[in-house]
Amino acid sequence: MRFRFGCVLFLLVCLLNLPAASAQQVAATPPMGWNSWNHFAEKVNDAVVRAAADALVSSGMRDAGYVYVNIDDTWEGKRDEKGFIHSNEKFPDMKALADYVHSKGLKLGIYSSPGPKTCAGFEGSYGHEEQDAQTYAAWGIDYLKYDMCSLGEILAKNGGKAEFRQGMLDAYKKMHAALLKTGRPIVFSLCQYGLYKVWQWGPEVGGNLWRTTGDINDNYARMAEIGFGQAGLAKYAAPGHWNDPDMLEVGNGGMKPDEYRTHMSLWAILAAPLLAGNDLSKMTPETVAILTNREVIAIDQDKAGKQGDRFWAEGPDEIWVKPLADGSKAVALFNRLDEWAGPAMMKVNFRDLGFTGAAKVRDVWNAKDLGSLEKYEVEVPAHGVVLLRVK
Ligand code: GAL
């Protein structure tokens, strides 16, 4: 009897704890790093990735927390006669590249699709999931972005909505099982553009993060559409499992500094993965300052792992709040109006946020303590933000 109870207990521990433990082992806080797609797209190659790794170190970004160096689509070559994938001529030696990245105290990420073809038309993992996971582990890969792409066409042919949804879940589960089998901790990043409310089932298929939308672009309108569109998803984020509103565009040149500060602040409030998407080897001091602001990063990476949400909105003025582990709250005041409309006066009453009496308030981007206040009124630039840490 005791033996049987022991067995049941063992099974329960395995069933309940193992997936949770493996999820927490990686991505206990939202992953931070760099991804090649937003700036380099198909022009990514070995030299670009090495230069990104070098720049993460020399710019201070690694020490600020950016550790994943993620190769996106277009690295894939042909399969050999046994079905094992090889990198193409742009990446002559993936293992050597991983060794180089690791030697800098960084981690290497890669990209594939559960379909036969990736979105850029390269070789996907369909039917080769275990082999690919083994290959990634042998190379020393630490992160996999798994992008639905051509799987959608196959699933659409094979049945209705329920079958489509199930087929997608099965495909992600399959790769997750293959990754677990390698014994190497590999962050599993789901990319299927938020279809079928992925936030509701992302953890179940082993996702450490899941894209909640289609692709970001380097302009305020699209960034804002995606970022502010995350309202209501906070309850689905937790250590090991993050909503992913896509990679950063900071430094790519399409937005003004105020807009990039809005982008970075909003992603921090959202506890979003912070994957820089710019050319790290050519950054202005302002770009480095935005990406490496320690206080903003601390809000994103807060160990409570609570995503923030919209607290108040009146037309284009919005206040978003994120609860932090030490009892403080990050409070972001956004003015979404276009430049011609000029700055907006915005007011926040800290009592409304649950503070009794005066609260200690710090202006994060200006690195300035504002003192003990019951409320605060401030001018917020067009498309800009005032980010506060309130205790
Ligand atoms: C898209 C994905 C992008 C990028 C691209 C590569 O589907 O959302 O982030 O990975 O594919 O082809």
Side-chain angles (χ1 to χ4, degrees), residues 309-313 317-321 331-334 346-348 353:
D309 217 327
R310 180 185 283 140
F311 174 74
W312 172 91
D317 297 347
E318 300 199 11
I319 300 179
W320 286 61
V321 178
V331 181
L333 288 69
F334 297 103
M346 288 184 69
K347 212 191 291 178
V348 54
L353 299 179

Side-chain angles (χ1 to χ4, degrees), residues 241-280:
H241 310 287
W242 307 102
N243 289 303
D244 174 11
D246 207 0
M247 304 166 293
L248 297 171
E249 292 283 9
V250 176
N252 276 332
M255 290 185 243
K256 303 208 164 103
D258 272 332
E259 298 174 325
Y260 281 139
R261 275 187 284 274
T262 293
H263 185 10
M264 190 73 188
S265 307
L266 189 48
W267 264 235
I269 289 280
L270 293 170
L274 297 178
L275 295 167
N278 56 319
D279 181 354
L280 302 180

Side-chain angles (χ1 to χ4, degrees), residues 33-38 40-50 52 68-76 87-88 90-91 93-95 97-98 101 107-112 136 139 141 143-146 247 275:
W34 171 85
N35 174 293
S36 58
W37 188 255
N38 283 357
F40 292 96
E42 76 288 350
K43 294 201 179 71
V44 66
N45 60 32
D46 181 277
V48 162
V49 175
R50 283 174 194 252
Y68 288 98
V69 180
N70 293 349
I71 306 168
D72 208 279
D73 204 353
T74 80
W75 65 267
E76 308 87 342
S87 48
N88 60 33
K90 297 193 294 167
F91 291 90
D93 188 341
M94 209 52 107
K95 170 86 174 70
L97 179 57
V101 167
K107 293 170 188 284
L108 189 64
I110 210 159
Y111 168 101
S112 190
Y136 304 152
W139 284 340
I141 297 294
Y143 185 117
L144 173 66
K145 173 174 169 183
Y146 208 42
M247 304 166 293
L275 295 167

Side-chain angles (χ1 to χ4, degrees), residues 361-377:
V361 184
R362 182 164 170 85
D363 179 326
V364 171
W365 286 110
N366 290 319
K368 197 172 153 206
D369 289 325
L370 302 175
S372 289
L373 306 171
E374 284 183 17
K375 53 182 181 249
Y376 186 53
E377 189 165 9

Side-chain angles (χ1 to χ4, degrees), residues 29-154:
T29 59
M32 290 177 68
W34 171 85
N35 174 293
S36 58
W37 188 255
N38 283 357
H39 183 84
F40 292 96
E42 76 288 350
K43 294 201 179 71
V44 66
N45 60 32
D46 181 277
V48 162
V49 175
R50 283 174 194 252
D54 293 347
L56 281 173
V57 179
S58 63
S59 65
M61 284 177 70
R62 178 196 61 188
D63 295 342
Y66 294 84
V67 293
Y68 288 98
V69 180
N70 293 349
I71 306 168
D72 208 279
D73 204 353
T74 80
W75 65 267
E76 308 87 342
K78 299 263 168 285
R79 293 191 181 277
D80 61 26
E81 61 287 353
K82 292 200 178 106
F84 285 97
I85 186 95
H86 293 268
S87 48
N88 60 33
E89 60 293 344
K90 297 193 294 167
F91 291 90
D93 188 341
M94 209 52 107
K95 170 86 174 70
L97 179 57
D99 289 346
Y100 182 78
V101 167
H102 291 153
S103 77
K104 306 247 156 191
L106 299 164
K107 293 170 188 284
L108 189 64
I110 210 159
Y111 168 101
S112 190
S113 171
K117 292 282 174 224
T118 66
C119 293
F122 288 71
E123 190 71 23
S125 293
Y126 190 71
H128 296 276
E129 294 80 1
E130 284 214 3
Q131 277 180 315
D132 285 1
Q134 295 296 341
T135 302
Y136 304 152
W139 284 340
I141 297 294
D142 308 290
Y143 185 117
L144 173 66
K145 173 174 169 183
Y146 208 42
D147 190 353
M148 180 134 128
C149 308
S150 61
L151 183 72
E153 292 153 34
I154 295 180

